[in-house]
Amino acid sequence: MSVNTHAAGMPRHAASPPPLDPGQRRKQARQVRLGRLDLKMSPYLYVAPFFILFAVFGFFPLIYTGWVSMREWGLIKGDQGFVGLQNFQEVLADANFWNAMLNTFGIFVVATVPQLLLALMLANWLNRKLRFRTALRMGILLPNITSVAAVGIVFGFIFADRYGLANWVLQSLSLDPVSWRGSRWASWTAIAFMVDWRWTGYNALIYLAAMQAIPRDLYESASLDGASPTRQFWQLTVPLIQPTILFTVIISTIGGMQLFTEPLMFNYGAAGSGSGLENFQTIAMYIYTTTFEGNFKYGLGSAMSWLLFMLIIFFALINFLLVRRSLKGSVK
């Protein structure tokens, strides 16, 4: 009779696995190392394509442009050697450059302020329960996906001096026609209409996405406290989407300071000539004219590009600080 030496209810110990031979141990160790390497390196591999493309098409052109800006370089004569900050001094002494900067800043202010305010109002309206809400949200994005050249051509004819639709409407209202290219403020307004028509819907969708992330309980509590819809919008919605507003301000600043296509098409495709060009020629247009039309002064054009880059950073920082301060004040 056999005797069970294991206590009742105690599990039997499984037999230990046979020892691995040296080849299997090396294979197992290699798999462990590969697994650890995958955990450490895979995140970097996922983001590597962006940084590679940025280095090739963003960082390298920026550094190379800075190098060219310190050399006297033209199309015919070629590289004439290092000149230091001479190109920057020549640009800063150029009255046309300062005129272009004034036009750029003026168009940016005239276009961006009403654009973002209108986008906020439009997003607040689309955030309500409406019929055909999806179709309306898709429709406001149509101007943004329309060809910029097509938009410029259409608005160029709308604001034509002689037979434009805008002057026809003014004359129908017994008002005098406007020389849209002969006046600084008129040309700024016309170009601002083009910019706002294209980008208001885009910014409205960004604001709408931020508004939909706000919990509805906050609005219900505000309604119970007697807050009107207008007060809820300015004291609840706007402060809660502050990061999104800052984002759109910075993006609009970058785009506004680089404005090129709209004023170019407003001038019927000419960057360096045309009636009243001094009233609306932007820095980007002047850079293009200096670098690629007639003069072919690559050193001067590169210096202007770097000055524009620094101006964009400066104005974006100023706008960021001003908007953040005003929004903090609205929260209080």
Side-chain angles (χ1 to χ4, degrees):
M1 183 176 66
S2 62
V3 179
N4 187 1
T5 57
H6 292 277
M10 295 294 293
R12 293 177 178 270
H13 292 287
S16 59
L20 300 176
D21 58 56
Q24 291 177 330
R25 284 199 298 269
R26 287 194 297 270
K27 182 178 180 181
Q28 188 178 33
R30 185 167 59 252
Q31 290 176 347
V32 172
R33 287 195 300 269
L34 289 176
R36 292 176 180 174
L37 184 64
D38 178 63
L39 289 176
K40 292 181 179 179
M41 297 302 298
S42 58
Y44 298 99
L45 293 177
Y46 295 148
V47 299
F50 165 77
F51 287 101
I52 292 173
L53 292 175
F54 173 76
V56 174
F57 298 104
F59 185 72
F60 171 73
L62 182 66
I63 299 301
Y64 186 73
T65 303
W67 180 74
V68 174
S69 67
M70 297 185 181
R71 309 184 73 83
E72 185 179 353
W73 200 326
L75 177 64
I76 299 176
K77 295 182 179 180
D79 186 4
Q80 298 297 306
F82 181 79
V83 294
L85 299 178
Q86 179 179 337
N87 287 326
F88 290 92
Q89 294 173 353
E90 186 174 346
V91 170
L92 294 176
D94 186 1
N96 292 327
F97 173 79
W98 291 106
N99 179 72
M101 190 175 74
L102 174 63
N103 291 332
T104 302
F105 184 74
I107 296 173
F108 159 70
V109 173
V110 173
T112 303
V113 174
Q115 175 194 143
L116 296 183
L117 289 175
L118 184 59
L120 267 176
M121 304 301 176
L122 188 59
N124 186 52
W125 176 66
L126 290 174
N127 197 31
R128 301 174 182 176
K129 294 182 179 180
L130 302 171
R131 286 187 176 183
F132 311 110
R133 184 169 52 182
T134 303
L136 290 173
R137 292 174 181 176
M138 294 174 59
I140 64 172
L141 195 61
L142 288 178
N144 186 256
I145 63 177
T146 306
S147 170
V148 185
V151 173
I153 292 173
V154 171
F155 274 89
F157 284 108
I158 289 176
F159 291 103
D161 292 338
R162 292 188 177 181
Y163 305 107
L165 179 62
N167 278 338
W168 178 81
V169 172
L170 292 176
Q171 290 176 335
S172 301
L173 298 175
S174 300
L175 298 175
D176 295 331
V178 176
S179 177
W180 296 104
R181 291 162 184 80
S183 168
R184 191 181 297 272
W185 279 103
S187 58
W188 287 2
T189 303
I191 296 173
F193 266 103
M194 299 166 61
V195 176
D196 291 350
W197 185 84
R198 185 163 181 257
W199 290 105
T200 299
Y202 174 82
N203 288 317
L205 285 183
I206 295 178
Y207 290 148
L208 178 62
M211 291 178 183
Q212 290 181 334
I214 300 175
R216 305 306 301 179
D217 298 342
L218 297 178
Y219 291 103
E220 295 175 0
S221 300
S223 299
L224 292 176
D225 291 338
S228 64
T230 303
R231 187 175 180 183
Q232 291 179 28
F233 175 72
W234 289 110
Q235 296 189 359
L236 182 62
T237 304
V238 172
L240 288 176
I241 64 171
Q242 174 182 346
T244 305
I245 295 176
L246 292 175
F247 169 77
T248 56
V249 167
I250 294 174
I251 294 299
S252 299
T253 302
I254 295 173
M257 298 302 293
Q258 294 178 334
L259 200 61
F260 177 76
T261 307
E262 286 84 354
L264 179 71
M265 301 309 298
F266 183 70
N267 197 38
Y268 304 111
S273 61
S275 176
L277 179 63
E278 68 279 358
N279 294 323
F280 56 87
Q281 186 182 45
T282 61
I283 296 180
M285 292 176 66
Y286 191 54
I287 291 173
Y288 179 84
T289 302
T290 303
T291 310
F292 301 110
E293 283 193 359
N295 297 325
F296 298 105
K297 296 181 179 180
Y298 299 143
L300 282 177
S302 299
M304 291 181 191
S305 299
W306 256 90
L307 288 174
L308 176 60
F309 172 68
M310 289 185 284
L311 283 172
I312 289 173
I313 294 177
F314 173 75
F315 283 119
L317 181 61
I318 293 297
N319 284 339
F320 172 79
L321 295 176
L322 290 176
V323 173
R324 187 177 66 173
R325 183 176 180 181
S326 64
L327 289 176
K328 284 185 177 180
S330 66
V331 174
K332 295 178 182 179

